[in-house]
């Protein structure tokens, strides 16, 4: 295959030229969430010139599921529809436009149509819930720390509340896509996957053929965030079935509307809590129930391991954590950057805000009061050696953000302005980074005797997070050569056989670790030869290239493969961070502006500050979208996802980024357990993005308090502009006219009674506003 590219040009799946005879597929999707298929007529589609075939579940020779490993999630509907947007079949044509056009002509009739269950509250009322597995015991039970009953007996104050947190689409630059090519001993599969091994397994199960007949290769993907771990497999499985039946290459590249409706997103969450605390605001006891909306099948719920993250960096002496999974008539939800952890952090930070409101204290004061001390027991997490948040992060953040000065400025601004308010908030983060034993990757480092250049193949997937950049840096550092001599090859299921998913920032860390070990083994062999040569001639000078040729002539193996076995993973470590955010809201419209964000994050000794700061910034803004603009809407009668494009679904844009955004990597930090003393950066910053909610809360609360309402109010997310305006609670009687001293209204204007709504409201500067007679 000849692929014409320019040096420095990144090639993605759909950039691969079409082979002679290659076909294109387009999905036919369901229009109801809860129904049965009565009949399907593809004849109108098949009559379109250029259409070759219509593929359905009947064409699958193996298991009809794109979820390998015991779970189920049908590639194509057989009878029972599980959610609106589910694939019924695949129209295959000679070009993509024809396939997409013909797919709309397939006639589908339904029966036994029912109103779907779309929310956690509805699912709970219907009893569609189950306790999640306790990751500590392997049983379906609550997770406990201390004596919860005794803790509440000691508590002088108790509060109860709820927090709803919405879903989020994995809005990547490259949609899910696949290309399957029949070859003499099986199939070559090109896929936008974060998990080539699972892609191989899924295709093998669907086609009912051995895994060694499936070759999966991935050069890079255009973003993942977890959405291409398993959800991608519906595309590669469908393409494989079509390729097998038609005996020709088949490519499927979905459009955004199809992508958004075909597969599941981030899990929505509901947290219910009861907290006991003393008059200072210190935790005494806490009960938390977190409900995860898994969609129609709970293959990938993250709620079971949130007993640790829900504590953040705080000391909670008595804790009862109850993780619950509910099923709704929606696409199976899946992992999304910091799955569950961000919602757990938001839950405890919301509780802190509730306590502060009750005691009329500064929320930051309550946060610092509750910081966990070293060696204190925690649920599902080892005791800390040091609370870096309290000792290092917060003092530095307050200094860099000029926190005390700006706090006074915000208060002064709010007193001087009636219809605009500002909020300033600080949210800290403890992020426990524990290498799961399941994360294993195959790595091979090859040195070429021709010119001493180095090629590295690893089982991880480059999706924009910089894994290839860091792996190349580690290889160059360990071998003692310029980075220009190192190149990273595509990941595949031959060299990287049995490698696990790239996610959670574990891929970068562990592949760098494996590359370091492999290169050190090579360096040891090379240095031995170098030592022998210097013994013969102590003044002999050898370039890297000459040394490699000598090694080759001496039959030194210049290739090293390393398997990152779970038992050899680096030791777990903690990541610390905090963010100070200032916002400004327009009370009348709900419009808000992120004025300034100051972030301090401990990333150890950064291997690449450009990559790490970019990861911090990107994760934070992704979290801002989760908590503000990215609202998901369904048709409540049919279950159709109305947010299936950027007309209805609103990710952050340039104007949503803080006007002034400052990221500081904690100086003089190190990490004896990380690769070259570094720490991961891809996930944590999304967690403290909940600061946008707490900052907006403070701005909204300032307006409410000014108008005599200091009561606690719940802020379910996402906080759209409309919700911000509604939470401010502006009432008609709050609109009043004012004028500067000595000014009068023209004769054709009149003053309006306070119970009437004027056409124009008072401006921030307090200038006169009159209404036309």
């Amino acid at each position: 295959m000849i692929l014409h590219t320019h040096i420095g040009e990144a090639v993605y799946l759909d950039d691969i030229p079409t082979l002679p005879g290659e076909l294109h597929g387009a999905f036919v999707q369901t229009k109801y969430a809860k129904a049965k298929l009565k009949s399907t007529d593809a004849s109108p589609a098949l009559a379109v010139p250029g259409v070759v075939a219509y593929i359905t579940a009947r064409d699958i020779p193996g298991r009809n599921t794109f979820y390998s490993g015991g779970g189920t999630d049908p590639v194509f509907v057989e009878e029972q529809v599980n959610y609106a947007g589910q694939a019924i079949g695949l129209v295959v044509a000679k070009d993509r436009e024809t396939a997409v056009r013909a797919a709309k002509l397939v006639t589908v009739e339904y029966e036994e149509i029912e109103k779907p269950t779309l929310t956690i509250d509805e699912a709970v009322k219907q009893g569609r819930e189950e306790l999640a597995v306790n990751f500590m015991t392997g049983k379906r039970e609550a997770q406990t720390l201390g004596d919860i009953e005794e803790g509440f007996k000691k508590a002088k104050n108790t509060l109860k509340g709820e927090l709803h947190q919405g879903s989020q689409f994995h809005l990547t630059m490259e949609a899910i896509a696949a290309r399957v090519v029949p070859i003499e001993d099986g199939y070559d599969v090109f896929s936008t996957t974060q998990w080539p091994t699972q892609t191989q397994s899924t295709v093998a199960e669907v086609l009912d053929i051995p895994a060694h007949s499936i070759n999966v290769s991935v050069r890079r993907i255009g973003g993942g965030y977890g959405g291409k771990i398993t959800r991608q497999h519906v595309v590669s499985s469908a393409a494989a079935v079509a390729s097998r039946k038609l005996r020709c290459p088949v490519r499927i590249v979905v459009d955004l509307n199809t992508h958004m409706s075909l597969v599941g997103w981030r899990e929505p969450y509901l947290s219910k809590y009861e907290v006991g605390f003393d008059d200072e605001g210190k935790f005494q006891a806490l009960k938390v129930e977190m409900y995860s909306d898994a969609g129609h099948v709970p293959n990938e719920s993250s709620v079971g391991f949130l007993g640790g993250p829900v504590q953040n960096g705080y000391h909670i002496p008595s804790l009862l954590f109850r993780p619950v999974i509910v099923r709704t008539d929606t696409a199976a939800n899946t992992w999304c950057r910091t799955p569950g952890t961000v919602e757990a952090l938001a839950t405890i930070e919301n509780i802190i805000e509730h306590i502060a409101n009750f005691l009329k204290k500064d929320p930051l004061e309550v946060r610092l009061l509750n910081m966990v001390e070293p060696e204190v027991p925690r649920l599902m997490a080892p005791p800390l050696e040091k609370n870096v948040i309290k000792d290092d992060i917060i003092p530095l953040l307050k200094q860099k953000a000029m926190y005390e000065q700006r706090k006074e400025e915000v208060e002064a601004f709010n007193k001087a302005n009636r219809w605009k308010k500002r909020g300033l908030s600080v949210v800290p983060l403890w992020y426990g980074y524990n290498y799961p034993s399941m994360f294993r990757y195959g790595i091979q480092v090859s040195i070429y005797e021709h010119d001493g250049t180095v090629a590295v193949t690893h089982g991880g997937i480059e999706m924009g997070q910089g894994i290839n950049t860091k792996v190349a840096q580690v290889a160059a550092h360990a071998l003692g050569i310029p980075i220009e001599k190192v190149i990273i090859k595509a990941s595949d299921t031959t060299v990287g056989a049995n490698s696990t998913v790239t996610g959670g920032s574990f891929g970068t860390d562990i592949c760098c670790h494996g590359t370091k070990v492999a290169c050190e083994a090579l360096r040891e062999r090379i240095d031995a030869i170098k030592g022998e040569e210097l013994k013969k001639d102590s003044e002999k000078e050898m370039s890297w290239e000459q040394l490699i040729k000598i090694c080759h002539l001496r039959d030194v193996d210049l290739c090293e493969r390393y398997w990152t076995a779970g038992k050899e993973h680096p030791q777990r470590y903690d990541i610390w961070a905090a963010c100070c955010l200032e916002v400004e809201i327009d009370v009348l419209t709900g419009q808000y502006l992120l004025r300034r964000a100051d972030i301090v994050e401990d990333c150890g000794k950064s291997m690449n500050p450009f990559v790490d700061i970019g990861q911090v910034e990107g994760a934070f803004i992704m979290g801002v979208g989760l908590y503000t603009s990215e609202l998901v809407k369904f048709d409540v009668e049919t279950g159709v996802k109305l947010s299936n494009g950027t007309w209805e679904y609103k990710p952050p844009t340039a104007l949503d980024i803080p006007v002034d955004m400052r990221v500081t990597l904690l100086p003089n930090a190190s990490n004896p357990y990380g690769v070259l003393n570094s720490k991961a950066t891809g996930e944590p910053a999304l967690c403290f993005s909940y600061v946008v909610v707490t900052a907006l809360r403070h701005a909204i609360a300032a307006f409410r308090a000014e108008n005599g309402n200091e009561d606690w109010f719940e802020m379910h997310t996402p906080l759209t502009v409309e919700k911000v305006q509604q939470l401010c609670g502006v009432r008609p009687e709050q609109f009043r006219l004012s004028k500067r001293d000595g000014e009068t209204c023209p004769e054709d204007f009149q003053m309006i009674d306070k119970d009437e709504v004027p056409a124009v409201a008072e401006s921030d500067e307090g200038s006169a506003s009159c209404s036309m007679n």
Side-chain angles (χ1 to χ4, degrees), residues 59-65 68 180-189 197-216 236-237 239-245 247 493:
D59 297 304
I60 297 175
R63 290 184 67 214
N64 180 19
T65 178
S68 181
V180 179
V181 181
I183 58 175
E184 64 176 79
D185 59 354
Y187 299 86
D188 283 343
V189 178
T197 296
Q198 199 76 343
T199 303
Q200 180 188 49
S201 298
T202 304
V203 172
E205 285 189 16
V206 168
L207 298 186
D208 194 23
I209 60 176
H212 68 210
S213 298
I214 308 296
N215 310 308
V216 182
S236 51
S237 297
V241 173
S243 181
R244 173 192 172 275
K245 179 176 180 179
R247 301 306 304 166
T493 48

Side-chain angles (χ1 to χ4, degrees), residues 29 178-179 220 222 281 313 325 375 393 422 434 438 514 528 588 610 719 722 728 766:
Q29 298 174 268
R179 180 171 177 269
R220 63 176 62 82
I325 297 171
E375 306 306 324
I393 298 285
R422 290 178 183 172
N434 187 21
M438 68 165 283
L588 299 177
F610 294 105
L719 285 173
E722 294 84 355
C728 288

Side-chain angles (χ1 to χ4, degrees), residues 473-485:
Q473 285 183 285
V474 169
H477 180 271
L479 293 173
I481 60 176
I483 196 170
E484 291 78 17
K485 281 193 171 292

Side-chain angles (χ1 to χ4, degrees), residues 678-691:
S678 68
K679 289 187 178 182
T681 54
E683 305 266 313
L686 197 146
C687 295
F688 56 69
S689 63
Y690 189 72
V691 70

Side-chain angles (χ1 to χ4, degrees), residues 528-719:
I529 299 299
K530 182 179 180 180
E532 292 177 11
E533 291 295 314
L534 290 176
K535 282 182 181 179
K536 298 176 186 177
D537 183 356
S538 60
E539 296 183 0
K540 184 176 182 179
E541 293 185 4
M542 289 177 291
S543 66
W544 168 260
E545 293 80 3
Q546 291 170 329
L547 179 57
I548 293 303
K549 284 189 178 293
I550 293 171
C551 288
H552 175 63
L553 292 173
R554 299 277 297 273
D555 279 335
V556 173
D557 185 357
L558 294 174
C559 296
E560 181 73 15
R561 190 176 189 278
Y562 183 74
W563 176 249
T564 60
K567 63 183 179 181
E568 297 179 18
H569 285 174
Q571 188 173 329
R572 73 168 301 283
Y573 56 81
D574 296 308
I575 299 170
W576 312 90
C579 179
C580 176
L581 180 67
E582 181 181 344
V583 302
E584 179 176 307
I585 65 171
D586 185 317
V587 172
L588 299 177
T589 65
Q591 291 282 350
Y592 47 82
L593 177 71
L594 308 189
R595 288 174 49 80
R596 176 172 167 179
D598 290 85
I599 295 169
V600 176
E601 183 168 327
D602 168 24
C603 70
K605 187 176 181 180
S606 174
M607 284 194 285
N608 190 317
F610 294 105
V611 170
D612 289 337
I613 289 175
Q615 286 293 289
V616 171
E617 292 173 336
F620 178 72
I621 296 302
M622 186 172 177
V624 167
L626 167 66
Y627 283 122
T628 57
S629 59
E630 296 181 42
L631 178 65
V632 184
K633 301 175 184 177
F634 291 89
D635 183 314
V636 296
E637 296 298 326
T638 65
V640 169
K641 189 175 286 180
L642 302 176
S643 307
N644 66 346
T646 52
W647 188 258
E648 284 289 344
Y649 185 76
K650 302 297 181 184
T653 60
L655 295 180
D656 297 302
I657 297 172
V659 175
D660 186 352
M661 188 170 181
R662 311 182 186 195
V663 177
T664 300
L665 303 182
L666 185 66
N668 303 317
S670 187
N671 178 23
Y673 310 121
V675 181
L676 301 178
N677 303 114
S678 68
K679 289 187 178 182
T681 54
E683 305 266 313
L686 197 146
C687 295
F688 56 69
S689 63
Y690 189 72
V691 70
V692 71
V693 179
T694 56
L696 285 170
R697 173 182 289 282
H698 297 170
I700 295 167
F703 178 78
R704 292 165 65 106
E706 188 177 90
N707 290 279
N709 183 1
E710 296 186 357
D711 295 339
W712 172 256
F713 55 98
E714 292 181 335
M715 292 178 66
H716 304 303
T717 62
L719 285 173

